[in-house]
Amino acid sequence: MISSQAALHAAYGGVVPEVAARHHLENICPVIEKAMADAGTTFPELDAVAVTQGPGLVGALLVGVQVAKSIAFVHGKPLVPVHHIAGHLEAPGLGADVPFPALALVVSGGHTSLFEMAARGQYHLLGRTRDDAAGEAFDKVAKLLGLGYPGGPVIDRLSEGANDRAHEFTIARIKDGRPDFSFSGVKTAVLYHVRREGIAPVADPAAAPAEIRDLVASFQRAVVTALLRKLKEAAQARRPRSLILTGGVAANRRLRRDAATLAEELGLPLFVPPIALSTDNAAMIAAAGQVAFEQGRRGGWDLDADPHLPLG
Ligand code: KG4
Ligand code: ZN
């Protein structure tokens, strides 16, 4: 059960924190009521209440934390705080038996990170982006071209069948040997190209000309190549038993296809959640909550939202 605010924020070209918090407040109770009704369950039947403690926008997080605390308090249930990224990392385990250790690439609007998981609930950070997240780069490039928000799905769609070799956008390689990422350079390269060629933002993304479709396809190829190059290098160094691709950008068709090819080449099983579980959702928070619950993790009544919560 997902209540998306994407259409609402599209008018502003990105998420407006105050608007997001207010709409969370309006939607959270009807969404919970509908989810419970659809599942045919009642509050007394629950084992625990899991909630995203962070990271994220503090206003939105606060709404979730207060509501979760209220439900847990009223019904005498344990409260389990969850890290947003732990949710993305546990999403593939919903309905699949992932062999561990696993190497996991999390690509979202706020994060681009590589984790090693020795088991469910164990997250060891190997590398992350030094500047923009991959999804952020998609969103910024889309905004620049008038393609709307969120930009990832539009670029994904426009790139299908376009010429991804029209431009060579290179992505900086981090030279100190760490499996870190950097995406602000490629975004700037697209910006310079747009200025140099005098490309105007499109009025209707569905009618984007070939010039723009080739441009975003080339950009997408550069991002996907950089992501999978790091995943491949880490897989060769760490020798995991499986690969995980997760987070909003994991909905990208090109990334999914190329990751499948890489997994085959490496002889490893690849786990990618279905699209609805790749982009932000509550089921993944429940999945991470279950693991944390079994590990004995509990939040007190003083649990507070933490916009900069670290993982692990
Ligand atoms: O995980 P997510 O839903 O929210 C965050 O935790 O950030 O990820 C949202 C990000 C946005 O930047 C959006 O543009 C990107 O995921 N995204 C995509 C696609 N669908 C969503 N990026 C590329 N291709 C897609 N199909
Ligand atoms: Zn997310």
Side-chain angles (χ1 to χ4, degrees), residues 14 51 55 78 84 105 117 119 135-136 168 182 199 208 210 214 251 264 273-274 281 294 305 309 311:
V51 63
H84 180 77
L105 175 63
M117 291 173 70
E136 199 179 346
E168 274 306 323
S182 168
I199 298 170
D214 292 350
E264 214 175 286
N281 66 89
E294 284 163 4
L309 188 71
L311 180 57

Side-chain angles (χ1 to χ4, degrees), residues 84-85 88 107-111 134-136 138-139 149-157 220 247-253 275 278-281 284:
H84 180 77
I85 297 304
H88 280 303
V107 268
S108 74
H111 292 79
E136 199 179 346
F138 270 96
D139 293 339
Y149 171 87
V154 190
I155 290 182
D156 182 347
R157 227 165 25 243
Q220 178 178 272
V249 183
N252 186 268
R253 279 171 286 186
I275 302 223
S278 293
T279 50
D280 285 353
N281 66 89
M284 71 183 195

Side-chain angles (χ1 to χ4, degrees), residues 19 33-34 39-40 63 65 88 104 125 154 181 190 197 230 236 252 258 264 282:
V19 173
E33 275 157 22
K34 179 150 191 337
V63 174
V65 167
H88 280 303
L125 180 70
V154 190
F181 303 92
V190 174
E197 304 292 320
K230 286 282 150 72
Q236 286 166 337
N252 186 268
D258 290 4
E264 214 175 286

Side-chain angles (χ1 to χ4, degrees), residues 231-255:
L231 184 64
K232 181 178 179 176
E233 287 169 1
Q236 286 166 337
R238 315 291 305 187
R239 306 213 157 270
R241 289 183 61 219
S242 64
L243 300 177
I244 288 173
L245 173 65
T246 186
V249 183
N252 186 268
R253 279 171 286 186
R254 171 80 192 255
L255 180 57

